[in-house]
Amino acid sequence: MGDPLISREDAAEALGMVARAAGRYLDALPHLPVRDLSQAHLVKELDGPLPEDGDGTLTAVADLLRIGTRAATHSSGPRFFHFVVGGSTPAAQAGDWVTSLLDQAAGLWLTSPLATQAETTVLRWLKELFGLPPGYGGVLTPSATFANLTGLACARQWWAARHGADVTADGLVGLPRMPVLSSGYVHASSRKALQLLGLGRDHVRTLTRDDAGRLDLAALDRELAVSGPAVVIANAGEVNAGDFDPVDEMADLAAAHGAWLHVDGAFGLFAALSPRTSHLVRGIERADSLAADGHKWLNVPYESGFAFVKDPSALGRAFGGWNAPYLPEPDDELVNYNNLGPESSRRARALPIWTTLRAYGRTGHQAMVERHRDLAVRLGDVVERSDDLELLAPATLFVVCFRYRPPGVPEDRLDELNRRLGEELLADGRVYVGTTVYRGRVALRPAIVNWRTTTEDVDLLASVVREIGARLSGR
């Protein structure tokens, strides 16, 4: 078909094709298996040689819709309980379509005052939502991993300054190792951020008091007394069972010893939305930096995270000052967000967040958080009442950690049985949930964070687990 200019008249029709397909897909989504293996062969149709001339806009879009709506993992539906993956609320999904339509270069005020204002607004709204002080600086990121990277980069800059060095300009050469302390709940995304910052993925010292990984506060106190300037990572939400580090007590110790407190609140920060769960994140308002995900419990499209820093100028010191004459200088009045985070080219990811917060407000998102917690408690109750299921940790937020444990199966066979059960659940596709290892035992850990999920979906999960478990164990 040649130059895209030839197809400019097809642009509106191509979007119309997507809109028409969207209605059918979204109507069917609550009833679809999460993954339909009978359609898996379609994925191979995406492969092939690079087209020489191309098939044209409408043909390409039609093929993508035909393949995608059938062969995709329907992770935006109500029965995807694997990892911690939200869906996209109707408002957020529409906001994301607008984002693609407008295609803003969101890094600079000069290129998009619209995107910049939207980001400034949603960062303020999010601080209000979580109960953070209004003076905190912030920036939107592609994920919690990038948000952790952002907060920990500011921590690294702070720590190096305590040693008389500007690590942004000169790097880490000649400096000692930066002490990083946490509980056994420290997440792989924090480790990855430390890895990318040159601080070492495995350099985190975990101070634990049991095999679940709970923090030993007394050990943290002793370590901070001798470590010199240090960075403490508090984990607001642990991925296997949903437990929380004692953020408030960690903030006390950080203040007493002059440490930097970073809170990894990828999903747990949203506990602040409800009076039933806000005690879990007491103390986050004293953190030096915080990280969270939007594509988890906020239910906006993927590639959405946010970082907040107590000292707003720390973001500019860690990420600004590029010495590039074609870029505008930092400006106190006109914000350039590519000077405040790890990305240069940035999508206008504030728009879906703005749309969903505008659409449902504080009370709507609080209601969703409380509904998901109620569903987790319901599933936990089902597990406890069943003679072939075992609850391994209290259902305090939205993660339910349990295993299949039928009568008569020896303990030394349960890990393998549950590992096979996890594999079969993913292959079956009616519900999607994977396995983990919690306190030395293989377990299931469904996470209930999708805005569509109802009691029917949670009850189906328990039923399918017991059905497949019975078949595997020969009951």
Side-chain angles (χ1 to χ4, degrees):
M1 294 293 292
D3 192 329
L5 185 63
I6 300 171
S7 300
R8 63 184 179 275
E9 301 299 331
D10 292 334
E13 174 56 21
L15 294 175
M17 291 168 62
V18 176
R20 290 190 292 274
R24 296 188 296 271
Y25 180 73
L26 293 174
D27 286 345
L29 188 58
H31 314 291
L32 294 173
V34 180
R35 187 175 178 218
D36 187 351
L37 290 181
S38 71
Q39 305 295 318
H41 65 281
L42 291 172
V43 172
K44 296 181 180 178
E45 294 190 30
L46 296 173
D47 199 6
L50 172 68
E52 187 63 35
D53 297 317
D55 298 322
T57 300
L58 302 185
T59 299
V61 171
D63 278 350
L64 181 59
L65 286 169
R66 176 180 57 82
I67 296 167
T69 54
R70 291 168 174 80
T73 302
H74 304 303
S75 50
S76 58
R79 295 190 292 274
F80 188 95
F81 302 108
H82 208 356
F83 305 108
V84 183
V85 176
S88 294
T89 63
Q93 196 161 57
D96 198 55
W97 286 20
V98 174
T99 303
S100 293
L101 175 68
L102 301 179
D103 194 23
Q104 299 290 281
L108 303 171
W109 174 275
L110 176 69
T111 54
S112 182
L114 170 75
T116 304
Q117 181 59 64
E119 185 158 354
T120 301
T121 299
V122 301
L123 288 167
R124 175 169 54 82
W125 285 355
L126 289 167
K127 285 185 285 187
E128 293 176 11
L129 196 67
F130 298 134
L132 296 176
Y136 274 53
V139 66
L140 298 181
T141 69
S143 63
T145 300
F146 267 76
N148 279 323
L149 176 74
T150 301
L152 291 170
C154 293
R156 183 184 65 168
Q157 179 77 14
W158 163 88
W159 171 83
R162 296 298 180 277
H163 292 272
D166 181 353
V167 71
T168 300
D170 302 321
L172 292 165
V173 175
L175 291 170
R177 298 290 294 274
M178 186 179 90
V180 182
L181 309 171
S182 190
S183 71
Y185 293 163
V186 63
H187 191 263
S189 66
S190 292
R191 292 186 181 274
K192 186 172 186 178
L194 293 168
Q195 171 187 333
L196 293 171
L197 291 168
L199 301 168
R201 180 195 65 193
D202 300 330
H203 181 55
V204 185
R205 183 164 182 196
T206 56
L207 306 167
T208 62
R209 58 183 171 86
D210 61 23
D211 61 355
R214 294 183 180 92
L215 179 69
D216 185 334
L217 273 169
L220 178 61
D221 191 11
R222 291 192 299 270
E223 191 65 29
L224 286 171
V226 299
S227 67
V231 173
V232 176
I233 299 176
N235 304 282
E238 180 266 346
V239 293
N240 290 319
D243 197 13
F244 283 65
D245 279 336
V247 180
D248 210 26
E249 290 88 342
M250 296 172 80
D252 288 339
L253 291 179
H257 294 286
W260 179 287
L261 178 63
H262 173 75
V263 175
D264 176 2
F267 60 77
L269 227 55
F270 289 86
L273 274 60
S274 170
R276 303 183 199 172
T277 53
S278 59
H279 64 281
L280 295 170
V281 291
R282 189 176 298 118
I284 59 170
E285 71 283 353
R286 295 195 283 154
D288 295 286
S289 57
L290 306 97
D293 251 333
H295 54 246
K296 289 184 170 62
W297 222 350
L298 190 60
N299 277 250
V300 298
Y302 242 71
E303 295 205 5
S304 177
F306 20 88
F308 300 103
V309 181
K310 179 184 291 186
D311 175 7
S313 66
L315 291 164
R317 289 195 298 273
F319 295 104
W322 295 356
N323 298 323
Y326 71 95
L327 292 174
E329 291 294 319
D331 192 310
D332 291 336
E333 298 297 325
L334 306 180
V335 182
N336 295 312
Y337 280 104
N338 68 359
N339 282 323
L340 305 181
E343 297 173 278
S344 303
S345 301
R346 306 173 77 251
R347 193 169 188 263
R349 62 176 60 90
L351 300 185
I353 302 174
W354 184 92
T355 313
T356 204
L357 291 175
R358 177 70 179 269
Y360 313 115
R362 183 193 303 275
T363 58
H365 287 89
Q366 176 183 331
M368 181 172 64
V369 164
E370 292 177 348
R371 176 166 55 85
H372 289 155
R373 181 179 179 274
D374 290 344
L375 290 173
V377 170
R378 177 188 178 93
L379 178 57
D381 290 343
V382 170
V383 170
E384 289 197 293
R385 292 196 306 267
S386 302
D387 65 356
D388 52 359
L389 301 175
E390 180 185 12
L391 191 65
L392 299 180
T396 57
L397 200 60
F398 63 70
V399 179
V400 185
C401 186
F402 69 100
R403 65 177 175 171
Y404 183 66
R405 186 178 186 175
V409 177
E411 181 71 29
D412 62 3
R413 287 186 50 206
L414 287 174
D415 280 355
E416 179 56 27
L417 175 58
N418 279 275
R419 198 171 280 113
R420 289 174 57 205
L421 173 58
E423 294 169 355
E424 290 288 328
L425 283 166
L426 298 180
D428 177 85
R430 283 175 289 172
V431 296
Y432 229 58
V433 59
T435 59
T436 189
V437 177
Y438 179 69
R439 308 191 81 166
R441 293 171 287 189
V442 175
L444 303 172
R445 42 133 283 175
I448 304 167
V449 289
N450 188 291
W451 67 274
R452 292 177 178 269
T453 303
T454 65
T455 55
E456 179 183 345
D457 303 304
V458 168
D459 291 347
L460 179 64
L461 167 63
S463 174
V464 172
V465 167
R466 299 182 73 193
E467 172 197 322
I468 295 177
R471 171 166 56 80
L472 292 175
S473 62
R475 294 190 73 197

